[in-house]
Every structure is written in C-alpha cells, then in structure tokens.
Amino acid sequence: MEAAMGLMRRMPPKHTETALSALLSLLPQHSSDLLSQVDQPLQVLCDMEYGKEFILCEYNRDADSYRSPWSNKYHPLLEDGSLPSLELRKLEVEANDIFAVYRDQYYEGGISSVYMWEDDNEGFVGCFLIKKDGSKTGQGRRGYLQEGAWDAIHVIEMNMHLSIQEGHICNMGRMIEEMESKLRNSLDQVYFGKTKEMVCTLRPPSEVVMRLPDS
C-alpha cells in the first residue's frame, strides 16, 4: 500500500484515473483505502431536466446515484435517496445561484455545484465545488494551456460564532474567498515563483550587446 501511494504521488495528474484503475486491479484488497486516499479529477453529469451540468462527489452520492443541485433528483433515478430539508434546500438553491456568479468572476467560466445537508448536531454542512478546464479547447474566455484543469472542493462545517445579519451564504462566501486567495498566492509565489527562478538560473537570458554607432 505504501508503494502504491508513492507511485500515485509521482504520477502526472492527467494519468491519475488510468493508474488508479490499474492499481485497483492489482490490489483489490486495498481498494477502499486507495479510493479514499487518492484524489481523482472531479466528474460531471448533465441534468437533462434543466440542461445544466453538475459535479459528482462523495457529498451528493447515495449508493451509485448522484443528486443534482438543480432538480434535486438523483441520476440514475433513486427513489429513497437522502434529500435536504425544505429550508436547507432553499438555502442550497440560493447558494448555487450566487456561487455561479463567483465562479464566473474568479474563474471566467467552468462548472460549479453546491450541496448542503444536515449534520448530527442540529446544524448543516455545505460543500462548494468548482471544475474549470483551462485548456485552449475548454470553457472560459482564456485558454493559455495546451491542457490543464482546476478542481476545487470546499467543505464548510460552521462551528463558530458569526453574525447572520447578512445570512449564512455571505459568511461562507468570505471563508471560501479568503482560502482561495491564500491558495492562489501560495501557488504564484512558491510554485510558479520558484520554478521561474530555477529556469532563469539554469538558463540565464542571453546578454544583450549594444553597439554604439561609429562617430
């Protein structure tokens, strides 16, 4: 199992699904551990009733079906699947509409989904997901990458004292915005910054020789 996880950490993200499928065939006795510990690219389904795509994850799955945040129905159809209460469902619908605006402003396109459910402490949990294809043929108004995608998952269990004057969604939105800003800054400064520094060190730009005109 340790060797399998070491292998998965070294695999390019685009080969994760293929490598995981191969490991599941080789190590069926560790299938539950592999599926729970290996991050896989988010998958998408289309809710034909609303004509909108939604993201699949563990938080909207019941058995082998996934609940759409648009129609509140399971795909494939599941008669007795768990559903949020009417009050929480109303909040979920509002959150999906607002998060779609956030997605367009910060990601310039992509797919977003929000799921909410009651917890065991008379509260609720919210899961906010975004999937953005950043390739030249993907969604959005930019396309600088030959291929590449961004998957974001935020799970919020609000066990803190906050003012609800502006509503729960505003509080959760601020948390997500702050976390994503920190993450983007970290990527820009640590990963991209260090990569640029190493490239410039290994391959310094050619010196420009300026010639003065003959007098």
Side-chain angles (χ1 to χ4, degrees), residues 136-150:
K136 294 181 179 179
T137 58
Q139 318 106 334
R141 292 176 287 279
R142 300 186 185 184
Y144 298 134
L145 302 176
Q146 190 66 34
E147 57 179 327
W150 178 280

Side-chain angles (χ1 to χ4, degrees), residues 107-125:
Y107 289 85
E108 298 186 347
I111 303 167
S112 62
S113 297
V114 179
Y115 304 106
M116 295 186 179
W117 64 96
E118 290 84 1
D119 63 11
D120 298 329
N121 301 315
E122 299 183 353
F124 70 93
V125 183

Side-chain angles (χ1 to χ4, degrees), residues 74-137:
Y74 278 88
H75 302 260
L77 185 63
L78 186 66
E79 296 293 343
D80 57 347
S82 59
L83 298 172
S85 65
L86 292 177
E87 183 178 0
L88 193 57
R89 171 59 184 161
K90 182 179 178 181
L91 187 65
E92 183 183 75
V93 171
E94 183 182 1
N96 272 284
D97 292 338
I98 294 175
F99 202 52
V101 176
Y102 171 88
R103 175 203 67 208
D104 286 339
Q105 289 182 344
Y106 281 81
Y107 289 85
E108 298 186 347
I111 303 167
S112 62
S113 297
V114 179
Y115 304 106
M116 295 186 179
W117 64 96
E118 290 84 1
D119 63 11
D120 298 329
N121 301 315
E122 299 183 353
F124 70 93
V125 183
C127 178
F128 297 74
L129 305 103
I130 288 180
K131 184 175 184 66
K132 171 65 186 288
D133 184 352
S135 65
K136 294 181 179 179
T137 58

Side-chain angles (χ1 to χ4, degrees), residues 154-172:
H154 300 279
V155 180
I156 299 178
E157 296 183 63
M158 295 195 60
N159 187 19
M160 57 194 309
H161 297 287
L162 295 171
S163 171
I164 58 171
Q165 183 176 0
E166 297 179 337
H168 290 299
I169 295 178
C170 287
N171 289 328
M172 292 187 287

Side-chain angles (χ1 to χ4, degrees), residues 2-117:
E2 183 178 350
M5 292 305 300
L7 176 64
M8 291 304 303
R9 282 192 291 269
R10 290 165 174 79
M11 292 296 297
K14 65 179 181 180
H15 297 318
T16 297
E17 291 180 89
T18 303
L20 180 60
S21 178
L23 286 175
L24 291 173
S25 300
L26 291 172
L27 305 169
Q29 70 275 21
H30 294 296
S31 59
S32 60
D33 292 329
L34 286 169
L35 290 172
S36 63
Q37 295 183 42
V38 175
D39 292 328
Q40 302 180 64
L42 294 173
Q43 302 298 318
V44 173
L45 270 183
C46 183
D47 187 333
M48 301 304 296
E49 181 177 341
Y50 279 72
K52 292 184 177 182
E53 293 180 309
F54 64 97
I55 300 174
L56 314 184
C57 67
E58 286 298 310
Y59 303 105
N60 70 323
R61 182 174 69 86
D62 195 333
D64 293 326
S65 297
Y66 295 87
R67 183 172 66 88
S68 165
W70 312 117
S71 63
N72 203 29
K73 296 178 181 178
Y74 278 88
H75 302 260
L77 185 63
L78 186 66
E79 296 293 343
D80 57 347
S82 59
L83 298 172
S85 65
L86 292 177
E87 183 178 0
L88 193 57
R89 171 59 184 161
K90 182 179 178 181
L91 187 65
E92 183 183 75
V93 171
E94 183 182 1
N96 272 284
D97 292 338
I98 294 175
F99 202 52
V101 176
Y102 171 88
R103 175 203 67 208
D104 286 339
Q105 289 182 344
Y106 281 81
Y107 289 85
E108 298 186 347
I111 303 167
S112 62
S113 297
V114 179
Y115 304 106
M116 295 186 179
W117 64 96

